[in-house]
Amino acid sequence: MHVSTRFSDSIHILAFIEIYKDIKLSSEVISSSVETSAVVIRRLMGILREAGLIDTKQGTAEPKLAKNPADITLLDVYLATEGNRPLFELDKKTNPDCIVGGNIQDVLGNYYEDAKIAAQRKLNEVTLQDVIETILVKQKYKDNIT
Amino acid sequence: MHVSTRFSDSIHILAFIEIYKDIKLSSEVISSSVETSAVVIRRLMGILREAGLIDTKQGTAEPKLAKNPADITLLDVYLATEGNRPLFELDKKTNPDCIVGGNIQDVLGNYYEDAKIAAQRKLNEVTLQDVIETILVKQKYKDNIT
DNA sequence: CTAAGATGTAACTTAATTAATTACACTATA
DNA sequence: TATAGTGTAATTAATTAAGTTACATCTTAG
């Protein structure tokens, strides 16, 4: 299974850009929150720009969300970073001369698709706004008890 | 993201065992349908046995399902082969001194959990019996038109 | 009772994927 | 025009899973 943190990192970047929109947001600064390299951040921001989720201008450290946070869902970010690849992997090839091998890929593919759509519907219910608000509430709770 | 075909291969093995229960089922024979090596098949069968889905006896080429096919769901196979690992990866570590880095893992973890459960509910709705019947219907259709 | 054919499993190799790193051309602006 | 930044390609390193080799163990036909 493909283990990639691109999806999570990208949400992190978007939330960071929105919450800290009043300070200077170089890839260096963002990378210190995500704890990865600035190049990785810039690469991901390239993907997010390509997908129409942020606007950036070369040379200036001022990325902006291209939409209202309430209009960006986790599914938008997922599709931007992971594409619409299957959630569960099928074999590249199974024996077509066998009743099982010749049919199972289609059969499982359909069931997998149903499960993927169910997961994606959930991701589509959550907006960047929700993520940001929940982060801020959790932080308030921390600040309160310490 | 971790790309693994263990899940699909295991369903394949289980369906094969049930459909061909009257012939001799060596790991060699099964591997010719899945198109992988016999060792890989034996390794997966070890996992399926461990999970209580099949019974095997060393030396004999006669694996059997341990339950009725209608009582084995795709989720059972998924949990046996992939465990209950997250569907979407979180970072190992983000900056705890940052409001975003210090809270986002928990927040995303919860949303990811919702999506995972939605997908798993779908997998839990499909039984090995369903898979086998659909395979056989598809095959009948192929035989008919040729 | 033993040879042939199987399983079970460990150890190692290969392949594929992703994050990290290095390097550098290009852009903005003080 | 120097400084600080982005954009992106190319390479390296780390991780993971599949494939391979090897062999101990078990079953059973003869």
Side-chain angles (χ1 to χ4, degrees):
Chain A
M1 195 184 301
H2 34 117
V3 175
S4 156
T5 56
R6 268 180 252 150
F7 176 36
S8 296
D9 287 350
S10 295
I11 301 166
H12 190 146
I13 292 169
L14 294 171
F16 196 91
I17 289 175
E18 176 65 14
I19 289 178
Y20 292 106
K21 60 178 142 189
D22 295 328
I23 69 169
K24 190 169 152 196
L25 290 171
S26 67
S27 56
E28 192 66 44
V29 168
I30 300 175
S31 74
S32 76
S33 175
V34 182
E35 292 199 347
T36 181
S37 78
V39 176
V40 171
I41 298 296
R42 294 204 291 274
R43 201 150 52 198
L44 288 173
M45 292 210 299
I47 291 171
L48 296 173
R49 171 164 31 78
E50 194 70 25
L53 298 178
I54 62 175
D55 293 320
T56 64
K57 203 165 66 173
Q58 187 170 357
T60 72
E62 42 193 23
K64 304 284 179 205
L65 295 189
K67 306 178 181 184
N68 192 296
D71 294 329
I72 298 174
T73 75
L74 296 192
L75 181 58
D76 295 327
V77 185
Y78 181 79
L79 293 175
T81 53
E82 302 282 348
N84 203 8
R85 67 161 107 175
L87 210 49
F88 309 111
E89 289 299 316
L90 289 168
D91 277 299
K92 301 276 176 294
K93 187 169 177 301
T94 49
N95 190 342
D97 299 330
C98 165
I99 292 176
V100 181
N103 294 290
I104 195 163
Q105 314 237 34
D106 276 359
V107 174
L108 290 185
N110 286 333
Y111 291 131
Y112 290 175
E113 186 68 13
D114 291 343
K116 185 176 74 172
I117 288 172
Q120 291 192 346
R121 285 172 61 115
K122 284 290 176 187
L123 293 182
N124 203 42
E125 286 174 6
V126 183
T127 69
L128 183 59
Q129 181 72 41
D130 296 326
V131 172
I132 290 169
E133 282 173 8
T134 311
I135 287 173
L136 295 178
V137 166
K138 274 186 187 280
Q139 183 61 36
K140 221 166 235 182
Y141 179 74
K142 280 184 191 171
D143 290 345
N144 223 354
I145 60 174
T146 53
Chain B
M1 198 184 294
H2 36 120
V3 175
S4 156
T5 55
R6 270 181 251 150
F7 177 37
S8 295
D9 288 350
S10 294
I11 301 166
H12 189 146
I13 292 169
L14 293 171
F16 196 92
I17 290 175
E18 177 65 15
I19 290 177
Y20 291 106
K21 60 178 143 190
D22 296 328
I23 69 171
K24 189 170 153 194
L25 289 171
S26 68
S27 56
E28 192 66 45
V29 167
I30 300 174
S31 75
S32 75
S33 175
V34 182
E35 292 198 348
T36 181
S37 77
V39 176
V40 171
I41 297 297
R42 293 204 291 275
R43 200 148 56 195
L44 288 174
M45 292 210 300
I47 291 171
L48 297 173
R49 170 164 32 78
E50 195 69 25
L53 299 177
I54 62 175
D55 292 320
T56 64
K57 203 165 67 173
Q58 187 169 357
T60 72
E62 42 192 23
K64 304 285 180 205
L65 297 187
K67 306 178 182 183
N68 193 295
D71 294 328
I72 297 175
T73 75
L74 296 193
L75 181 58
D76 296 328
V77 185
Y78 181 79
L79 293 175
T81 54
E82 303 282 347
N84 202 8
R85 67 160 107 176
L87 211 49
F88 310 110
E89 288 299 317
L90 289 168
D91 276 301
K92 300 276 176 294
K93 188 170 175 300
T94 50
N95 190 342
D97 299 330
C98 166
I99 293 176
V100 181
N103 293 290
I104 195 162
Q105 314 237 34
D106 276 359
V107 175
L108 291 185
N110 286 333
Y111 292 132
Y112 291 175
E113 186 69 13
D114 291 343
K116 184 176 75 173
I117 288 173
Q120 290 192 346
R121 285 171 61 115
K122 284 291 176 187
L123 293 182
N124 204 43
E125 285 173 6
V126 183
T127 69
L128 183 60
Q129 181 72 40
D130 296 326
V131 172
I132 290 169
E133 281 172 9
T134 311
I135 286 172
L136 295 178
V137 165
K138 274 186 185 280
Q139 183 62 35
K140 221 167 236 182
Y141 179 74
K142 279 185 190 170
D143 291 345
N144 223 353
I145 60 174
T146 54

